[in-house]
Amino acid sequence: QVQLVESGGGLVQAGGSLRLSCAASGRTSSSYTMAWFRQTPGEEREFVAVISWSSGVMRAADSVKGRFTISRDNAKNTVYLQMNSLKPEDTAVYYCAAKTGPASISTAARYDYWGQGTQVTVSS
Protein backbone atom coordinates (compact mmCIF):
# COMPACT_ATOMS: atom_id res chain seq x y z
CA GLN A 1 0.00 0.00 0.00
CA VAL A 2 1.02 3.55 -0.70
CA GLN A 3 -0.28 6.51 1.27
CA LEU A 4 -0.44 9.95 -0.32
CA VAL A 5 -1.01 13.15 1.62
CA GLU A 6 -1.54 16.46 -0.18
CA SER A 7 -0.98 19.89 1.28
CA GLY A 8 -0.61 23.49 0.14
CA GLY A 9 -4.08 24.33 -1.09
CA GLY A 10 -5.87 27.53 -0.17
CA LEU A 11 -7.45 30.74 -1.37
CA VAL A 12 -5.53 32.95 -3.78
CA GLN A 13 -6.36 35.87 -6.07
CA ALA A 14 -6.26 35.49 -9.82
CA GLY A 15 -2.72 35.84 -11.10
CA GLY A 16 -1.27 34.47 -7.89
CA SER A 17 0.69 31.30 -7.17
CA LEU A 18 0.44 28.22 -4.99
CA ARG A 19 2.62 25.16 -4.54
CA LEU A 20 0.97 21.86 -3.74
CA SER A 21 2.89 19.02 -2.13
CA CYS A 22 2.19 15.30 -2.13
CA ALA A 23 4.09 13.21 0.40
CA ALA A 24 4.24 9.51 -0.38
CA SER A 25 4.82 6.78 2.20
CA GLY A 26 4.46 3.04 2.50
CA ARG A 27 5.54 0.72 -0.29
CA THR A 28 6.83 3.43 -2.57
CA SER A 29 8.95 2.52 -5.55
CA SER A 30 11.10 4.34 -8.09
CA SER A 31 9.08 2.61 -10.80
CA TYR A 32 5.94 4.55 -9.90
CA THR A 33 4.36 7.30 -11.94
CA MET A 34 2.90 10.23 -10.03
CA ALA A 35 0.22 12.61 -11.21
CA TRP A 36 -2.03 15.46 -10.24
CA PHE A 37 -5.72 15.55 -11.11
CA ARG A 38 -8.40 18.06 -10.21
CA GLN A 39 -12.14 17.88 -9.81
CA THR A 40 -15.02 20.31 -9.53
CA PRO A 41 -18.52 19.39 -8.28
CA GLY A 42 -20.45 17.31 -10.77
CA GLU A 43 -17.47 16.82 -13.05
CA GLU A 44 -15.07 13.96 -13.65
CA ARG A 45 -11.51 14.15 -12.44
CA GLU A 46 -9.39 16.07 -14.91
CA PHE A 47 -5.75 15.30 -15.65
CA VAL A 48 -3.37 18.10 -14.74
CA ALA A 49 0.20 16.78 -14.90
CA VAL A 50 2.22 13.58 -14.61
CA ILE A 51 5.84 12.73 -13.81
CA SER A 52 7.89 9.55 -13.81
CA TRP A 53 9.40 8.97 -10.39
CA SER A 54 12.55 7.45 -11.83
CA SER A 55 13.28 9.46 -14.97
CA GLY A 56 11.62 12.76 -14.11
CA VAL A 57 9.97 12.89 -17.55
CA MET A 58 6.86 15.01 -17.19
CA ARG A 59 3.79 16.07 -19.13
CA ALA A 60 1.08 18.61 -18.47
CA ALA A 61 -2.43 19.18 -19.75
CA ASP A 62 -2.82 21.86 -22.41
CA SER A 63 -5.02 23.88 -20.06
CA VAL A 64 -2.16 24.38 -17.60
CA LYS A 65 0.91 24.14 -19.82
CA GLY A 66 3.22 27.08 -19.29
CA ARG A 67 1.60 27.90 -15.93
CA PHE A 68 1.87 24.71 -13.86
CA THR A 69 5.02 22.65 -13.28
CA ILE A 70 5.23 19.20 -11.74
CA SER A 71 8.42 18.10 -10.03
CA ARG A 72 9.63 15.54 -7.53
CA ASP A 73 12.14 15.23 -4.72
CA ASN A 74 13.19 11.61 -4.51
CA ALA A 75 14.96 12.05 -1.19
CA LYS A 76 11.77 13.36 0.40
CA ASN A 77 9.39 11.04 -1.48
CA THR A 78 7.44 14.16 -2.39
CA VAL A 79 5.88 15.42 -5.60
CA TYR A 80 5.08 19.07 -6.13
CA LEU A 81 2.77 21.07 -8.34
CA GLN A 82 3.87 24.68 -8.76
CA MET A 83 0.90 26.70 -9.98
CA ASN A 84 1.50 30.19 -11.36
CA SER A 85 -0.77 32.71 -13.07
CA LEU A 86 -3.77 31.09 -11.47
CA LYS A 87 -7.20 31.67 -12.97
CA PRO A 88 -10.67 31.34 -11.43
CA GLU A 89 -11.26 28.30 -13.65
CA ASP A 90 -8.39 26.54 -11.84
CA THR A 91 -10.61 26.37 -8.74
CA ALA A 92 -11.02 22.69 -7.83
CA VAL A 93 -10.05 19.98 -5.40
CA TYR A 94 -6.59 18.80 -6.43
CA TYR A 95 -5.67 15.15 -5.98
CA CYS A 96 -2.32 13.41 -6.03
CA ALA A 97 -2.27 9.93 -7.55
CA ALA A 98 0.22 7.10 -8.04
CA LYS A 99 0.41 4.07 -10.29
CA THR A 100 2.92 1.32 -10.88
CA GLY A 101 4.95 1.39 -14.07
CA PRO A 102 6.55 4.26 -16.00
CA ALA A 103 3.83 5.05 -18.53
CA SER A 104 2.69 8.65 -18.18
CA ILE A 105 -1.02 7.99 -18.45
CA SER A 106 -3.61 10.75 -18.07
CA THR A 107 -6.60 8.48 -17.32
CA ALA A 108 -7.67 8.63 -13.70
CA ALA A 109 -8.98 5.06 -13.66
CA ARG A 110 -5.47 3.75 -14.31
CA TYR A 111 -4.13 5.07 -11.02
CA ASP A 112 -4.01 2.80 -8.00
CA TYR A 113 -3.53 5.18 -5.11
CA TRP A 114 -5.07 8.55 -4.30
CA GLY A 115 -4.66 11.24 -1.70
CA GLN A 116 -7.55 12.87 0.13
CA GLY A 117 -7.41 16.04 -1.98
CA THR A 118 -6.70 19.67 -1.23
CA GLN A 119 -8.95 22.59 -2.12
CA VAL A 120 -7.65 25.36 -4.35
CA THR A 121 -9.84 28.42 -4.73
CA VAL A 122 -8.92 31.27 -7.08
CA SER A 123 -10.90 34.48 -6.67
CA SER A 124 -11.42 36.94 -9.50
Side-chain angles (χ1 to χ4, degrees):
Q1 287 285 344
V2 174
Q3 293 78 43
L4 304 174
V5 178
E6 302 101 332
S7 61
L11 173 63
V12 64
Q13 287 189 331
S17 299
L18 281 175
R19 189 177 80 156
L20 305 183
S21 300
C22 172
S25 61
R27 298 184 64 181
T28 57
S29 168
S30 61
S31 67
Y32 278 30
T33 297
M34 305 294 294
W36 288 96
F37 290 79
R38 64 187 182 186
Q39 188 171 26
T40 54
E43 300 293 328
E44 295 186 353
R45 288 188 184 181
E46 175 192 13
F47 167 74
V48 175
V50 61
I51 188 167
S52 167
W53 198 270
S54 57
S55 69
V57 173
M58 64 191 80
R59 182 166 63 91
D62 289 342
S63 59
V64 305
K65 202 170 292 184
R67 300 188 298 122
F68 291 10
T69 302
I70 188 170
S71 62
R72 91 273 193 236
D73 184 329
N74 289 5
K76 295 182 178 180
N77 273 355
T78 300
V79 174
Y80 303 98
L81 184 68
Q82 178 66 43
M83 305 186 295
N84 299 327
S85 302
L86 282 161
K87 305 175 181 179
E89 51 263 44
D90 294 319
T91 294
V93 177
Y94 282 71
Y95 295 92
C96 177
K99 59 175 282 295
T100 56
S104 60
I105 294 172
S106 60
T107 304
R110 297 289 297 273
Y111 284 78
D112 304 305
Y113 305 101
W114 293 87
Q116 80 288 352
T118 185
Q119 177 71 47
V120 171
T121 303
V122 184
S123 62
S124 57

